[in-house]
Amino acid sequence: MSRIAYVNGRYVPHADAAVHVEDRGYQFADGVYEVVLVYDGAMVDELPHLDRLDRSLGELRIAQPMTRPALRSVMRELLRRNRIRTGLIYMQVTRGVARRDHPFPKNAEPALVMTAKRIALPAAAAIENGVKVISIRDIRWERCDIKTVALLPNVLGKQQAREAGAHEAWQVDDAGCVTEGTSTNAWIVTKDGELITRSANQSILNGITRLSLLRLAEQEGLRFVERSFTLEEAKQAREAFISSATAFVTPVTQIDDAVIGNGKAGSVGLGLRRAYLDYAAGAGRTA
Ligand code: PDD
């Protein structure tokens, strides 16, 4: 079955899905995006993702491409046409098409594209073994809270990780503290069992998965705190993991050369992963 994409009002074969060369997303990375998990036939945390999309658009003063009910119906139609039960929806809104010039164009309409793809969940053994991350300097701008398509530092960081045989790169600020991964939020569990993730300000993307995990941690009665942690503290941690709409909770068992805990996924991370998957199959769904 061929994939279908949504491009500015039309459902088109994925292979033919294209935007104009003077789309400002293409020219200036002048746009924002969201990635929404689809789990067992339903979207997970759909409304928080759409709220964050609205926020990103507002911060960049890009108009909404359509009303929320219209957007939600495009998302559903795309899933239906692609017959996706477990996968991802990617949506991107740019400031639109205009003659290339840096200031905001006067008459451009925001452009919306959406794609959907299937994903396979990792095998239990892969989760148990965890992944390796490397540390890199955080060279990004001061508005990492906006989910913009300007992802060059993230792309370079992820590539550096891959070339080092690692899954992710944790970005480290000038104070020696971990901000986040290149496409995930970063978490540790200290030796005395406290769960830590950086508090959300302009130096990280406030992950929707991160927010759900904090709520689940609270419900599970875990001790947690939102604060910065240094790379050294992370290397001494009992557990570490990453979170995102695509990674859920993925245990980290090595940071640079340091083995975390006993080199296997830790119980807090595994417990939160289970809790998140239950949430994705239950309270987090929208039909
Ligand atoms: N990435 N931090 C960064 C820099 C991200 O790009 C992402 C998401 C996250 C986690 O956010 P959420 O829990 O809302 O997915 C944190 C998406 C999945 C991506 O770029 O593909």
Side-chain angles (χ1 to χ4, degrees), residues 33 35 49 52 147 180 182-185 205 207-209 244-245:
Y33 76 106
V35 179
H49 278 286
R52 187 173 65 186
K147 198 165 172 63
E180 61 183 333
T182 63
S183 64
T184 54
N185 288 118
L205 183 76
I208 302 302
T209 320
S244 75

Side-chain angles (χ1 to χ4, degrees), residues 17-211:
V19 295
H20 194 277
V21 288
E22 285 197 314
D23 185 290
R24 287 179 63 97
Y26 183 64
Q27 297 282 357
F28 294 113
D30 188 1
V32 303
Y33 76 106
E34 278 297 326
V35 179
V36 181
L37 171 66
V38 182
Y39 188 71
D40 197 20
M43 283 176 255
V44 181
D45 278 338
E46 179 192 8
L47 298 181
H49 278 286
L50 294 181
D51 287 344
R52 187 173 65 186
L53 178 70
D54 288 352
R55 178 179 184 278
S56 297
L57 290 169
E59 292 299 307
L60 299 183
R61 293 192 281 146
I62 298 175
Q64 314 254 349
M66 57 175 64
T67 65
R68 181 171 291 200
L71 192 60
R72 294 184 71 192
S73 88
V74 172
M75 292 163 83
R76 280 158 183 75
E77 181 62 15
L78 198 65
L79 289 185
R80 195 187 65 74
R81 289 189 186 225
N82 287 284
R83 296 196 201 146
I84 289 183
R85 287 200 63 76
T86 298
L88 300 170
I89 293 184
Y90 175 86
M91 68 183 87
Q92 174 172 320
V93 182
T94 71
R95 205 179 300 278
V97 176
R99 201 172 79 154
R100 188 181 182 281
D101 199 6
H102 289 64
F104 297 174
K106 289 219 165 45
N107 298 316
E109 297 280 320
L112 169 65
V113 305
M114 220 185 276
T115 56
K117 71 173 179 190
R118 295 202 174 111
I119 56 166
L121 300 186
I127 294 300
E128 186 57 36
N129 287 331
V131 297
K132 174 181 171 182
V133 305
I134 59 166
S135 60
I136 60 172
R137 226 183 109 212
D138 194 336
I139 58 168
R140 299 175 302 164
W141 71 331
E142 292 179 0
R143 292 306 309 273
C144 295
D145 56 313
I146 305 173
K147 198 165 172 63
T148 88
V149 296
L151 289 172
L152 202 42
N154 309 57
V155 166
L156 294 176
K158 191 77 96 186
Q159 181 61 21
Q160 198 178 327
R162 289 292 189 270
E163 288 173 9
H167 180 78
E168 177 61 298
W170 277 8
Q171 301 170 98
V172 178
D173 67 15
D174 289 342
C177 292
V178 174
T179 52
E180 61 183 333
T182 63
S183 64
T184 54
N185 288 118
W187 304 70
I188 59 170
V189 179
T190 60
K191 289 237 156 63
D192 66 359
E194 190 169 50
L195 177 64
I196 300 173
T197 195
R198 191 178 174 114
S199 56
N201 56 20
Q202 298 188 345
S203 63
I204 65 166
L205 183 76
N206 193 359
I208 302 302
T209 320
R210 171 189 181 281
L211 289 168

Side-chain angles (χ1 to χ4, degrees), residues 230-241:
T230 64
L231 180 62
E232 280 321 302
E233 191 177 6
K235 289 182 180 177
Q236 303 296 321
R238 182 199 285 174
E239 287 183 38
F241 60 87

